[in-house]
Amino acid sequence: MQEVADGKITEEQRLANIRERIGSPLSIRKELDVFVNIRDTLNELDSIERLFKVRREVIVNVQGLFRGHDLAHTGGDKSAESFGKFHAEFNIYHQWISKLRELAGETHHSISGLLDLKQKEANVSEARSANEQALAAQRQERTILIFTIITIIFLPLYFLTSRFGVNARELTGASSGISSLQVALYTGTVAAGIFSLCFLLAFNKVVRELLLETLNFLLLTLTTFWAMFVTSVGVRRGYKEIRAPTSRSRLEALPPQPRLAMLSAFTARPLVELKQRDRSKIESLLAYGNRLLVGLNTGCLRIYLVNEPIDEPKGQDGVSTSDERAESQSQPRPVDLLREEDKFSRRPIQQLAIIKEANILIALTDNHVSIYDLQTYALQEQLTKTKGVSTFAVTSDIIKDPVTEIPSIVSRLAVAAKRKILLWSWQDSELATQTVEMTLPASARSLTWATATKLVAGMDSGFVMVDTETQEIVDILAPGTVGGAPGQAGVRFGGAGVAGMSYMGIGSWAPKPLATRLTKTDLLLAKDINTLFIDSEGNPLERRQIPWSTAPEAIGYSYPYMLALHSNSKGTLEIRNPETLSLLQSVSVTNATHLHVPQPNVSLAHAGKGFLVASDRCIWRMCALDYDSQIDELVAKGQLDEAISLLNMLEEVLLKDKDGRLREIKMLKAQNLFDRRRFRDALDLFTEVSAPPERVIALYPNVIAGDLAVSEDNREDDIASDPDNTDGHTNGDSVDKVEESRPSIDEQRTLAARFKAATKSADSDTSSIRSSKRGLLNEDNDALSVKGKHTETLPIDRPLEGKELKDAVTELCSFLAQTRVQLQRYLNPDGTLKAPARAAQESQNGQSKAAFESLLVAPAPAAGDEDREQKLRETAKLVDTTLFRSYMLARPSLAGSLFRIPNFCDPDVVNEKLLENGRFNDLVDFFHGKKLHQQALELLKKFGQAEGEDEAAPGLHGPRRTVGYLQNLPPELIDLILSSAEWPLKDDPDLGMEIFLADTENAESLPRDRVIDFLQDLDSKLAVRYLEHIIYELNDLTPEYHQRLVNLYLERLKWSEDGQSNFEDDASRSDWRERTLSFLRASDNYSKVRVLSQLPRDDPDYYEARAIVLSKMGQHKQALEIYVFKLEDFAKAEEYCNYVHMSENLQNPETKGAEYVPIAGSEERKPSIYHTLLSLYLTPPQPHKPNWPPALDLLSKHGSRLPASSTLDIIPSTLPVKELEDYFRGQMRAANSVVNEGRVVTGLWKNQVVAAQAVLLLGDGRLGGNGGRNRKVIIDEERLCGACHKRLGGSVIEVLPDNSVIHLGCANRMQRTATGISPLRKTAWE
């Protein structure tokens, strides 16, 4: 302000600066953010306060519990006092929360007031803006008036100039030429005609509408001729090349059929017709139960009794003809006049409604809303506040009380009076005393309840959503205004624009804003020809506008259809699908202006009850066919999208087999998509509905479908034999076929042909002329979806081949793969059921049940489990065989992967196809998967034994592939394995032995007796190799196999009768002998006696083998005699003794380390093996002589293991003592070792005892560890017993090893029960 006074800035600049700081004065974004935050804070504080209340009750209860019991010995008084202190602190915190709650509430109220002030300021600003627009319009009108005056002044001058410019005879003086009378006659006639036409167009609404319809008809005719021309030359996607019609396109050559409506579901039957002498007009009507109330312009109210409707024949347009009505005059009348209230009102009755729970009738008449008794129709009250009322709306809902949760019926009456909305409420037939008033930005012309508490108000300036509880008014914005540029104000839907301005001050007719509920959550708003779909909160939905050519007079919703009444010169009722917005039926109702749908119109309670349409003189009841017939009619006319949409909207209780019909119609749609080469969409839809595989496969040519393929001749016969194909209609036979859950293949073909013929003449009335042209030239429009406008009507009849066939087969692969997954739920890989078919069927929901039935090939109605199993196997065979054909055509590389998994392919088809294409590797894999091993092995043998590699199958040459195949065969096929393994073993023994030696479960599980016999017949070396594998690698301890291996070893070592060796050289023989000796040493499972009998006594090659066998028999002396006297190998003899000595120590661990034996005073249990060897050296049998060098060497090395008493007895007395020096030194060293070892052990035991005593007395020294006996515990007044949780006080206690303290009595009780404490004490203290 000081800056303004000083002249530094102007007042406007100061205000602009303030606006920059605080933003737009009408913007409520910041206030809304604060409002939301405050509301969240209030919710949190309320939650905390409820939590405080609950905890206060808990504290009070606990405090009373302490005071009411005698717990003095446990400190009850003190605990109660503590609870009291805590309770006091708790109250302080509770008071703080309450204060915060009050402050938040005040802030919430203040912000609400601020928002209200801003709303009022916005209203003032809007009024100011409207005033400015009116002034601008006035200025424009003044300017136009000036131009008009100037035109009026100069118009006579123009006329005189034109008049004297004509070369008339009177002006030129010529004897010939046109006269002035002729000029006046010509110009006057033309001018009069033009002026008359202009005046009619300007002031006659009927002429304007007639001219508009004529123009539309001409434009539609031109468009139709253009479409016929485009269709005849085959224009597709920018005019493809012209192709001549073939014999399969006979239907296309037929003349075009007239366009028919999609549906003829509704029939208009006259209900009430005013007599000719009756001059009154119908102003309003109301239907409830079997009563019909009609309000007239004279203020008279007529009450009719509505009789049950009787089926009557209907005309072509859905309206009963006059002849038909004359024939039905003998039937009972549709209504009976019960009473007539002549003095119901002095003015026309403009609107009627009832609140049944309160037993009242509400009427809009005499510029007021009045309440009447529903039984006597006597006036109860005239609502004086409703003066100037334009409309009202009534709703009744069941609402639960927020406190008691008791449901009650709440009815509300909303009245629009000028710019106010007045609200009255009834709860359980009792009128509330309070009346709510709300102010709108403009006068409301229509009211529609969106929910129990929200209603939509339609004004000339747009629509608003009114919340009757919070009294909040929110603009319903048109799409595209939300999220606009900052500072840009939103525009209400239906607001006045440039088109609403007048010309020269003459006000134009403004259409009434209309609204209706479609479902429980969606509403439709209409202004002129513009529409908007919103939800119950007022948010716009992303849906296209309804293609109305003229503004409707009234709109409504009769489950499940959307209604629009157009009051042109003829009068038309449009019935549309609320999802696709397609025009399903147009019913001609002459001069109809009123549309009434009895409540509730969005639920099943209204299904099939019809609705009312009225003109000034007549009321029609729209009677509907049953929904099954409507679906049949849509399908018969090829409108599959509409049928699917209608089925999705209808509840299951209104239809017969809804899921089955929906599934069948979707399959028909998918078949139509397939015929138009939209393969992906078609197969996706087939997959969605779990279509029968044979039905899908039958759509493909013979190369894919095989016997299921439909030939072109059969298709032509199906089309030609269809009698409905001549006039574009479909009789009831096809509808019956749709109802069948699983028609046969022939029935499906006929049904598909009829559908194809029907769709060629069917079309939708929803698209405009421009969109119709675009639809003819563009096949990829959105009308082909399940929820689209209509079904494309130009299927392609040329054969499926080339790239199109590959594309179709590629999509078929995905469908068949999904079908295989479904089959795996019921079939095992071997073809048996995983569970009984009925149990598997009943365990799924209804859709899965249909999916299960779809997998059966031609299921019988009462088929058993065995029959179903057989049919499932047939389906699996069909699916896998077709998938194989598809892979071979579109993706040959994937065919092999199909054979490596369990499959049900037809072997004959696969064999023929793979041989034809030279895919022998895949054929082998297929034979293996189908367990046709004999054929596979024969094929492998054929290619494996060929002289050279085959170019078609280079990987099959040689035995490697056969060996790999045999390795994968189970042991049960041992005969086949052995018969097929012969040629690989002969061709490559090392590779062939991998059949039996591979590290696989199959190789290890083969019958070993059979394998050994087979290999031994072929080659003993192969048998030896196999026996060594199972003994050494597989650790087989069977004595028979060990004995057979020994026999094979020895058999090959023997010389032949002619003195020839079985080995190529001595090295091979020596190596074989070492293998034999190693096995004799390592194995204990052969027969020693049998082997010993096979070993020659005098053959040097078998000396060592005999020694090993004798050793295994325990004949150590005889074994040592062979080493000492026959082999004369003293090193091996000593090594043998070492081995025997170590073996005895392992068998008797107590003798280990006790090798020293005192010289005297000891008794020997038995002589050691070294003693036996020493005796053989010193006292050999005849004719051998003593051998001193090895004997002395043995005494020096193993003297400690030879007892002195027995050893010295066999040493000759002539031997010098010096030679025994090493022996005696070893004896003394061994004795010293024993003594020293005893001393060390004794010291270790002493150290262990000392450590244990230290731990017992002093503890382990760790923090928190075992303190031993040198530990202490602190007992205070608050310490409790670990067992009973009572105070210890001065009681006798017991300290546990973990320093926990309990009463002695508790310890005794626990010790008696032998749980927990006693074992712990014993472990810690012993």
Side-chain angles (χ1 to χ4, degrees):
M1 295 297 293
Q2 184 65 30
E3 293 177 351
V4 175
D6 296 341
K8 297 180 179 180
I9 60 175
T10 63
E11 181 66 22
E12 295 180 355
Q13 292 177 347
R14 187 182 68 82
L15 294 176
N17 294 335
I18 294 176
R19 291 192 188 99
E20 290 179 359
R21 289 196 299 270
I22 66 175
S24 176
L26 300 181
S27 175
I28 59 173
R29 183 176 300 172
K30 294 182 180 180
E31 288 80 359
L32 285 177
D33 292 340
V34 176
F35 185 81
V36 172
N37 293 333
I38 289 296
R39 189 170 56 186
D40 294 341
T41 304
L42 284 173
N43 293 334
E44 293 176 1
L45 291 174
D46 290 338
S47 300
I48 296 174
E49 191 170 4
R50 286 194 295 269
L51 182 62
F52 270 103
K53 291 181 180 179
V54 174
R55 294 198 173 183
R56 183 194 293 115
E57 294 177 358
V58 175
I59 293 171
V60 172
N61 294 335
V62 173
Q63 188 175 3
L65 186 64
F66 272 97
R67 291 175 179 175
H69 295 77
D70 186 11
L71 301 175
H73 61 284
T74 59
D77 295 338
K78 187 174 182 179
S79 299
E81 183 180 354
S82 301
F83 273 111
K85 294 180 180 179
F86 180 71
H87 192 190
E89 296 177 356
F90 186 84
N91 289 333
I92 295 175
Y93 289 117
H94 190 196
Q95 292 176 1
W96 291 352
I97 295 299
S98 300
K99 292 181 179 179
L100 290 175
R101 176 66 176 82
E102 294 177 0
L103 292 175
E106 294 176 359
T107 306
H108 183 272
H109 183 71
S110 301
I111 295 176
S112 299
L114 179 60
L115 291 174
D116 185 52
L117 290 175
K118 285 208 169 188
Q119 181 65 36
K120 292 179 179 179
E121 184 178 359
N123 295 338
V124 173
S125 184
E126 184 178 357
R128 185 183 298 112
S129 176
N131 188 23
E132 292 176 356
Q133 292 180 1
L135 293 176
Q138 187 176 1
R139 288 194 297 269
Q140 292 178 0
E141 293 172 0
R142 187 180 298 109
T143 302
I144 293 174
L145 179 61
I146 293 173
F147 282 117
T148 304
I149 295 173
I150 295 174
T151 303
I152 293 173
I153 293 174
F154 283 94
L155 184 60
L157 300 178
Y158 294 155
F159 174 75
L160 294 176
T161 303
S162 301
R163 173 69 183 85
F164 287 105
V166 178
N167 296 325
R169 287 182 297 180
E170 291 79 3
L171 297 178
T172 59
S175 60
S176 63
I178 189 172
S179 64
S180 300
L181 181 60
Q182 292 176 336
V183 171
L185 181 62
Y186 294 153
T187 56
T189 303
V190 173
I194 295 175
F195 288 152
S196 301
L197 180 61
C198 292
F199 275 103
L200 286 175
L201 291 177
F203 300 104
N204 194 318
K205 181 179 178 182
V206 176
V207 175
R208 286 200 305 269
E209 293 179 351
L210 181 60
L211 179 62
L212 183 61
E213 289 184 357
T214 303
L215 293 176
N216 289 336
F217 176 76
L218 292 176
L219 188 58
L220 182 61
T221 304
L222 293 175
T223 305
T224 304
F225 279 108
W226 171 252
M228 292 172 59
F229 171 75
V230 171
T231 305
S232 63
V233 299
V235 177
R236 293 296 185 274
R237 297 182 179 272
Y239 302 97
K240 294 182 180 178
E241 61 177 354
I242 301 176
R243 54 187 177 86
T246 61
S247 59
R248 297 188 307 274
S249 304
R250 288 177 293 176
L251 289 179
E252 296 181 358
L254 294 176
Q257 302 296 331
R259 172 176 292 184
L260 300 175
M262 292 186 188
L263 194 63
S264 56
F266 290 91
T267 303
R269 293 192 176 97
L271 198 63
V272 176
E273 291 184 85
L274 300 183
K275 298 179 180 180
Q276 293 183 356
R277 63 176 180 271
D278 190 351
R279 299 302 180 184
S280 58
K281 296 182 179 180
I282 299 174
E283 291 288 338
S284 60
L285 64 156
L286 171 66
Y288 68 96
N290 61 348
R291 295 290 190 273
L292 174 61
L293 278 63
V294 180
L296 304 179
N297 63 340
T298 59
C300 176
L301 179 67
R302 295 179 182 177
I303 300 93
Y304 294 93
L305 173 65
V306 181
N307 300 317
E308 291 296 327
I310 299 175
D311 294 335
E312 301 175 3
K314 59 184 179 180
Q316 190 70 16
D317 59 350
V319 183
S320 299
T321 62
S322 59
D323 296 337
E324 294 165 353
R325 289 196 297 267
E327 294 177 0
S328 61
Q329 288 180 355
S330 60
Q331 298 180 357
R333 291 180 299 178
V335 294
D336 294 323
L337 181 62
L338 295 180
R339 60 187 298 179
E340 183 174 359
E341 296 289 336
D342 293 331
K343 299 182 179 180
F344 188 81
S345 175
R346 297 175 299 174
R347 299 290 181 88
I349 305 173
Q350 301 175 2
Q351 190 176 354
L352 293 171
I354 65 168
I355 299 180
K356 192 173 183 180
E357 293 74 22
N359 196 29
I360 59 175
L361 171 66
I362 301 174
L364 170 57
T365 179
D366 198 13
N367 209 23
H368 286 81
V369 172
S370 304
I371 299 177
Y372 299 83
D373 185 87
L374 189 58
Q375 302 299 327
T376 63
Y377 304 101
L379 178 63
Q380 293 183 352
E381 180 183 1
Q382 186 181 56
L383 304 179
T384 57
K385 292 184 178 180
T386 62
K387 184 178 181 181
V389 59
S390 57
T391 184
F392 68 87
V394 175
T395 183
S396 296
D397 301 275
I398 299 177
I399 300 177
K400 286 186 178 181
D401 187 271
V403 179
T404 62
E405 295 187 355
I406 298 176
S408 60
I409 300 178
V410 177
S411 302
R412 292 184 173 90
L413 168 64
V415 179
K418 298 180 180 179
R419 294 181 57 186
K420 290 185 179 181
I421 291 183
L422 307 174
L423 185 66
W424 285 267
S425 300
W426 286 264
Q427 184 168 2
D428 293 334
S429 72
E430 295 182 2
L431 177 63
T433 57
Q434 184 179 4
T435 302
V436 180
E437 294 187 11
M438 291 167 285
T439 304
L440 297 178
S443 298
R445 299 182 60 187
S446 66
L447 293 178
T448 304
W449 285 97
T451 63
T453 59
K454 293 184 178 181
L455 59 87
V456 175
M459 308 171 295
D460 289 335
S461 59
F463 291 86
V464 293
M465 179 70 73
V466 180
D467 192 330
T468 59
E469 289 187 340
T470 62
Q471 300 185 14
E472 181 182 6
I473 300 175
V474 180
D475 292 338
I476 298 178
L477 304 180
T481 61
V482 179
Q488 180 182 0
V491 179
R492 292 195 193 101
F493 171 73
V498 178
M501 297 178 62
S502 60
Y503 176 75
M504 292 184 64
I506 302 176
S508 62
W509 172 77
K512 180 182 178 181
L514 305 175
T516 183
R517 285 182 63 185
L518 299 181
T519 62
K520 294 182 179 179
T521 57
D522 297 346
L523 292 91
L524 170 65
L525 310 182
K527 184 72 177 294
D528 199 1
I529 61 172
N530 301 315
T531 58
L532 176 66
F533 292 89
I534 63 172
D535 58 14
S536 58
E537 300 296 328
N539 302 316
L541 304 177
E542 295 183 359
R543 298 184 61 181
R544 66 186 183 91
Q545 291 199 9
I546 301 176
W548 285 328
S549 58
T550 59
E553 183 70 19
I555 60 175
Y557 179 78
S558 177
Y559 180 86
Y561 297 111
M562 183 172 59
L563 313 173
L565 182 60
H566 296 269
S567 61
N568 48 20
S569 60
K570 183 179 180 181
T572 304
L573 175 66
E574 292 185 356
I575 301 169
R576 294 180 180 269
N577 187 327
E579 287 190 354
T580 64
L581 307 184
S582 302
L583 178 61
L584 300 179
Q585 185 179 2
S586 294
V587 181
S588 177
V589 280
T590 307
N591 298 326
T593 56
H594 303 283
L595 173 64
H596 175 68
V597 181
Q599 298 293 331
N601 59 340
V602 296
S603 67
L604 294 180
H606 180 67
K609 293 186 178 180
F611 53 92
L612 303 179
V613 177
S615 65
D616 293 341
R617 307 286 298 172
C618 182
I619 300 176
W620 292 274
R621 175 167 55 187
M622 307 302 296
C623 299
L625 295 175
D626 61 281
Y627 293 118
D628 291 301
S629 300
Q630 296 179 29
I631 298 297
D632 294 341
E633 185 177 355
L634 287 173
V635 174
K637 293 185 177 180
Q639 302 299 331
L640 302 182
D641 290 328
E642 301 301 331
I644 292 172
S645 176
L646 182 58
L647 279 170
N648 289 327
M649 289 187 294
L650 292 174
E651 297 293 335
E652 189 171 1
V653 297
L654 301 177
L655 297 166
K656 298 178 182 179
D657 189 18
K658 173 184 176 180
D659 294 335
R661 293 171 64 85
L662 181 61
R663 179 169 172 268
E664 179 63 27
I665 295 174
K666 284 186 177 181
M667 284 191 287
L668 285 176
K669 175 179 171 58
Q671 187 170 343
N672 181 259
L673 291 173
F674 187 91
D675 292 339
R676 296 195 314 276
R677 305 304 192 252
R678 297 180 62 87
F679 305 117
R680 174 168 296 183
D681 297 335
L683 271 298
D684 287 346
L685 193 53
F686 276 131
T687 304
E688 177 187 343
V689 299
S690 300
E694 66 273 13
R695 181 167 182 174
V696 180
I697 296 171
L699 300 174
Y700 287 80
N702 185 54
V703 67
I704 297 298
D707 297 337
L708 288 179
V710 181
S711 64
E712 297 298 329
D713 296 337
N714 291 337
R715 291 187 179 181
E716 293 179 7
D717 293 342
D718 290 339
I719 297 176
S721 61
D722 188 3
D724 299 329
N725 200 25
T726 59
D727 58 353
H729 295 278
T730 304
N731 59 15
D733 296 339
S734 64
V735 178
D736 296 336
K737 295 180 184 298
V738 174
E739 295 179 356
E740 297 179 3
S741 59
R742 287 295 309 275
S744 63
I745 297 298
D746 295 335
E747 291 173 343
Q748 293 170 14
R749 296 169 186 167
T750 304
L751 186 60
R754 294 184 177 184
F755 162 70
K756 187 184 299 183
T759 54
K760 290 187 177 182
S761 61
D763 202 351
S764 172
D765 297 332
T766 60
S767 56
S768 63
I769 296 175
R770 182 179 300 175
S771 64
S772 299
K773 291 182 180 180
R774 184 170 60 252
L776 289 171
L777 297 176
N778 185 10
E779 294 181 355
D780 294 331
N781 53 53
D782 58 348
L784 300 177
S785 63
V786 176
K787 295 183 178 180
K789 302 178 185 65
H790 57 83
T791 304
E792 185 69 30
T793 60
L794 295 174
I796 302 173
D797 287 338
R798 64 174 178 269
L800 192 61
E801 57 188 5
K803 184 178 182 300
E804 288 183 345
L805 178 59
K806 281 194 174 182
D807 294 341
V809 170
T810 301
E811 301 301 331
L812 178 64
C813 293
S814 301
F815 171 78
L816 295 176
Q818 183 65 27
T819 306
R820 292 189 84 253
V821 174
Q822 294 180 4
L823 285 168
Q824 291 172 2
R825 298 176 183 174
Y826 309 103
L827 278 180
N828 291 314
D830 58 353
T832 58
L833 284 177
K834 290 185 177 179
R838 296 187 184 276
Q841 180 182 356
E842 293 171 0
S843 63
Q844 307 291 334
N845 54 24
Q847 188 172 1
S848 297
K849 177 180 177 181
F852 175 80
E853 292 292 343
S854 69
L855 298 176
L856 303 178
V857 177
D865 289 344
E866 297 180 358
D867 191 17
R868 291 172 182 269
E869 180 179 348
Q870 177 63 26
K871 288 177 170 49
L872 279 176
R873 281 197 295 266
E874 293 177 4
T875 302
K877 180 178 179 181
L878 174 64
V879 169
D880 287 352
T881 304
T882 308
L883 184 60
F884 161 73
R885 287 171 171 160
S886 303
Y887 281 155
M888 291 300 297
L889 179 65
R891 299 179 180 178
S893 59
L894 297 180
S897 61
L898 179 63
F899 305 144
R900 299 184 186 97
I901 59 177
N903 62 82
F904 297 89
C905 294
D906 189 349
D908 297 334
V909 175
V910 175
N911 189 16
E912 178 185 357
K913 203 73 175 178
L914 292 180
L915 289 177
E916 179 183 347
N917 291 272
R919 300 179 64 89
F920 301 104
N921 287 287
D922 293 338
L923 183 57
V924 172
D925 292 337
F926 171 73
F927 282 146
H928 181 271
K930 300 299 291 182
K931 298 183 180 180
L932 302 175
H933 306 298
Q934 185 68 39
Q935 292 88 324
L937 291 171
E938 290 177 358
L939 183 64
L940 290 173
K941 183 178 180 180
K942 174 183 177 181
F943 285 96
Q945 291 183 336
E947 295 181 358
E949 293 186 0
D950 194 334
E951 295 181 358
L956 301 182
H957 183 70
R960 182 173 298 279
R961 185 64 187 276
T962 303
V963 171
Y965 191 95
L966 292 174
Q967 286 177 344
N968 294 323
L969 294 183
E972 294 79 11
L973 302 176
I974 183 62
D975 294 330
L976 181 62
I977 294 173
L978 296 180
S979 62
S980 303
E982 183 174 353
W983 78 267
L985 287 171
K986 292 180 180 179
D987 190 78
D988 190 346
D990 292 336
L991 181 60
M993 283 302 295
E994 290 297 322
I995 301 172
F996 312 104
L997 305 183
D999 187 14
T1000 61
E1001 183 178 357
N1002 289 338
E1004 295 176 2
S1005 304
L1006 292 174
R1008 293 172 183 175
D1009 294 335
R1010 298 282 304 278
V1011 175
I1012 295 171
D1013 294 339
F1014 169 75
L1015 294 176
Q1016 191 171 354
D1017 293 340
L1018 286 179
D1019 190 350
S1020 60
K1021 292 185 290 184
L1022 299 179
V1024 169
R1025 186 175 176 183
Y1026 180 73
L1027 286 170
E1028 288 177 344
H1029 171 73
I1030 64 175
I1031 292 174
Y1032 291 127
E1033 301 294 335
L1034 305 182
N1035 196 25
D1036 194 331
L1037 302 179
T1038 305
E1040 181 183 356
Y1041 301 151
H1042 289 249
Q1043 185 63 44
R1044 294 189 68 170
L1045 181 57
V1046 173
N1047 294 340
L1048 292 174
Y1049 278 144
L1050 297 178
E1051 183 179 355
R1052 191 157 185 251
L1053 279 175
K1054 293 180 180 179
W1055 295 84
S1056 60
E1057 295 180 358
D1058 56 357
Q1060 297 295 329
S1061 174
N1062 294 325
F1063 301 96
E1064 298 176 355
D1065 50 20
D1066 294 340
S1068 301
R1069 182 180 181 84
S1070 176
D1071 180 66
W1072 189 266
R1073 184 171 58 252
E1074 288 299 327
R1075 289 169 61 183
T1076 305
L1077 296 177
S1078 299
F1079 180 73
L1080 290 174
R1081 292 191 189 97
S1083 177
D1084 293 328
N1085 297 311
Y1086 56 86
S1087 176
K1088 285 79 176 178
V1089 177
R1090 183 177 175 182
V1091 173
L1092 186 62
S1093 64
Q1094 294 178 5
L1095 297 174
R1097 289 176 175 271
D1098 300 330
D1099 192 343
D1101 291 340
Y1102 297 97
Y1103 284 162
E1104 188 172 359
R1106 288 183 61 86
I1108 294 173
V1109 175
L1110 290 171
S1111 172
K1112 293 289 184 179
M1113 298 174 64
Q1115 305 294 330
H1116 301 300
K1117 185 176 182 180
Q1118 297 180 16
L1120 287 174
E1121 286 179 353
I1122 294 174
Y1123 283 117
V1124 174
F1125 301 120
K1126 293 185 177 182
L1127 293 176
E1128 296 182 355
D1129 192 343
F1130 307 118
K1132 286 188 177 181
E1134 183 178 354
E1135 183 180 352
Y1136 177 79
C1137 292
N1138 293 336
Y1139 172 76
V1140 173
H1141 178 73
M1142 296 301 296
S1143 299
E1144 292 177 351
N1145 287 340
L1146 292 175
Q1147 295 176 0
N1148 301 311
E1150 64 275 3
T1151 63
K1152 186 177 181 180
E1155 297 179 353
Y1156 169 72
V1157 180
I1159 297 177
S1162 64
E1163 294 183 359
E1164 308 235 352
R1165 290 176 296 179
K1166 65 176 182 177
S1168 65
I1169 187 65
Y1170 297 101
H1171 186 275
T1172 304
L1173 180 59
L1174 182 62
S1175 64
L1176 291 176
Y1177 284 152
L1178 297 180
T1179 58
Q1182 293 296 330
H1184 302 288
K1185 296 181 180 180
N1187 196 346
W1188 291 101
L1192 295 176
D1193 184 63
L1194 182 64
L1195 288 171
S1196 62
K1197 290 181 180 179
H1198 304 283
S1200 60
R1201 298 173 181 174
L1202 293 169
S1205 58
S1206 59
T1207 302
L1208 294 176
D1209 290 341
I1210 63 175
I1211 295 177
S1213 58
T1214 59
L1215 184 66
V1217 178
K1218 182 175 178 59
E1219 298 294 338
L1220 299 175
E1221 180 180 0
D1222 292 337
Y1223 170 71
F1224 290 116
R1225 183 177 290 115
Q1227 285 285 329
M1228 290 184 288
R1229 187 179 295 112
N1232 290 335
S1233 298
V1234 172
V1235 174
N1236 293 335
E1237 184 179 355
R1239 291 176 180 174
V1240 171
V1241 171
T1242 302
L1244 292 175
W1245 278 109
K1246 289 181 179 180
N1247 290 335
Q1248 187 175 0
V1249 170
V1250 171
Q1253 291 176 350
V1255 171
L1256 179 61
L1257 295 175
L1258 304 177
D1260 53 10
R1262 294 179 299 174
L1263 182 63
N1266 186 10
R1269 295 178 179 175
N1270 186 25
R1271 70 184 190 279
K1272 62 181 179 179
V1273 294
I1274 299 175
I1275 306 298
D1276 55 8
E1277 295 181 356
E1278 300 296 332
R1279 185 147 188 173
L1280 304 178
C1281 173
C1284 64
H1285 304 289
K1286 296 180 180 180
R1287 289 194 307 166
L1288 295 173
S1291 305
V1292 181
I1293 63 173
E1294 183 171 353
V1295 182
L1296 299 181
D1298 58 354
N1299 290 341
S1300 61
V1301 182
I1302 62 175
H1303 290 107
L1304 181 61
C1306 295
N1308 294 334
R1309 284 194 299 272
M1310 297 175 69
Q1311 191 172 12
R1312 284 195 299 269
T1313 56
T1315 58
I1317 302 299
S1318 181
L1320 182 61
R1321 294 177 60 220
K1322 181 177 179 181
T1323 302
W1325 290 344
E1326 283 188 351

